[in-house]
Amino acid sequence: MAFREVAVTEIREALRAWLSGAGLRQVAAQAGVDRKTARRYVLAAVEAGLVRGGGAGQLSDELVGQVAQVVRPVRPGGHGQAWEQLEVRHDQIEGWVKAGLSVVKIGVLLERQAIVVPYRTLHRFCVERCGFGRTASTVRVADGEPGVECQLDFGYLGLLADPVSGRQRKVHALIFTACYSRHMFVWLSFTQTLGTLVAGCEAAWVFFGGVFKVLIPDNAAAIVAAADAVNPRFTEGWLDYAQHCGFVTDPARVRSPKDKPRVERAVQYVRGNFFAGEHFTGLADAQTRAEAWCRDVAGMRIHGTIAARPAEVFAACEAGVLLPLSLPYDVPVFTKVKVHRDFHVEVGRALYSAPKEYLGCHLDARADTALVRLFHRGQLVKIHPRQQPGRRVTDPADLPAEKTTYAMRDVASLAKAARRHGDNVGVYAERLLDTDLPWTKMRQVYRLLGLVRRYGPGPVDVACARALELDVVNVTKIASMLEKATENTPPPPRPAVAAAARFARDPAEYRPAGTQLTLIDGGEGSR
């Protein structure tokens, strides 16, 4: 015989109908039970002292309890014979449950031992006595104060056409849910990078009109660098953005959706109510319609938990206590770079000089659209304007003094350095650099300075003076003079009158034959 629990309301309804004068058929129909069952209720109540003309006031809890005790099948502990057979083998069945066996398999194993019980009885026994299918209990967490906490999570929605690539791509929704009012905002994207998170947050703060004090995200790679239930380590980019806005991050534990249940439940709602069955021309069109949906549909529905419209609750309780909006955030790039042998680091495929004392060290770089900052062990050591890929910026102070002039092609400093060794050396260096492309002659000046270090400034100055007198601008000649020690030898004297040409002829030879030379002195009558 199948076991059926007897409901107190069922007994009370049957007896109330009988007291009103109805017959057993009508009593059974009104109480929703079989006519035989209605008769059993009435007989048991009459034996307990119920009088048909005594009114409904006789239907006390004690009387109904006595009727229930009589009509209920006699089962010790409320269970039948099949349950008693299972109790005998409780330890064995519990072991099978812990081993992961299904209720059907457990029934098969019991049949081999000549124990045949209904499936429902076996299932109920496994659940109540052996812990089968039992899940951990949950406790509702308080919503907290208005305007404090906001939970956010990425949820996959489906495929969306990307006009840039011309193909279908997976689109995700970054969902923001205010814990107190349940007001939400949806940001759509094809990626889950730090730039996407920051862009979604910036749009959400504009939508809400302020910034929540505490954000509760999951352990996205762009947010959490090392997950930990107590002390998670955040990425530099996310920490920088949190400091910019002024909020605190309290991430959920790994694989613990109950840490952010408000937004977890919202993912299915966004997927089913907003995205499913709709056609969007692109991501921009979908985002525009998502914001309108958050404002007009999700925000104005009667929420099942708070029994109010989220947008109205948010406007009344949370909008006025949010943190003020900050300036637009310039998403930076954080990277670790090495100072190479050329005293430069590479950030974003551009080169930036670093102080020479950090040669070979690793620096932390923060690069936004305007500046590149270099840090060493938390100390700021250099700031450069951001350069385009392939460009370079060098501060002469970062280079060794002996290499600065050549590296920067500073011909003026090179000429000045040469003049310190003598006036003639300085003039000679200026003559060497006096070309349309002066940096192409810098190596000759460096060789001239090398001769100064080798022979001393005095002999080189004298040699340069002799070369300038002869108008010979050639460092090789200066080196030859110093090597042969002829810098003090006076130059050979120049002839005062030029020598007669070897093949000169007498002018009379050019006079035509038979002519007479006439001299005219300008006097009157003279020939």
Side-chain angles (χ1 to χ4, degrees), residues 161-175:
D162 183 8
V164 178
S165 62
R167 59 185 179 87
Q168 297 284 328
R169 296 185 61 184
K170 291 183 177 180
V171 62
H172 297 81
L174 178 60
I175 305 173

Side-chain angles (χ1 to χ4, degrees), residues 16-93:
R16 189 172 69 89
W18 181 75
L19 289 175
S20 65
L24 290 178
R25 187 183 300 275
Q26 186 176 354
V27 169
Q30 185 171 337
V33 297
D34 185 78
R35 188 171 54 178
K36 295 180 180 179
T37 303
R39 181 183 291 110
R40 294 174 56 211
Y41 290 165
V42 171
L43 294 178
V46 171
E47 292 179 3
L50 182 66
V51 179
R52 192 164 194 176
Q58 304 176 79
L59 301 178
S60 62
D61 293 336
E62 292 76 11
L63 177 66
V64 174
Q66 294 178 17
V67 174
Q69 184 67 29
V70 173
V71 300
R72 183 177 183 178
V74 181
R75 296 168 180 260
H79 299 288
Q81 183 180 2
W83 189 278
E84 295 177 359
Q85 291 180 304
L86 298 176
E87 283 285 3
V88 176
R89 289 167 175 76
H90 171 269
D91 295 339
Q92 185 181 29
I93 297 174

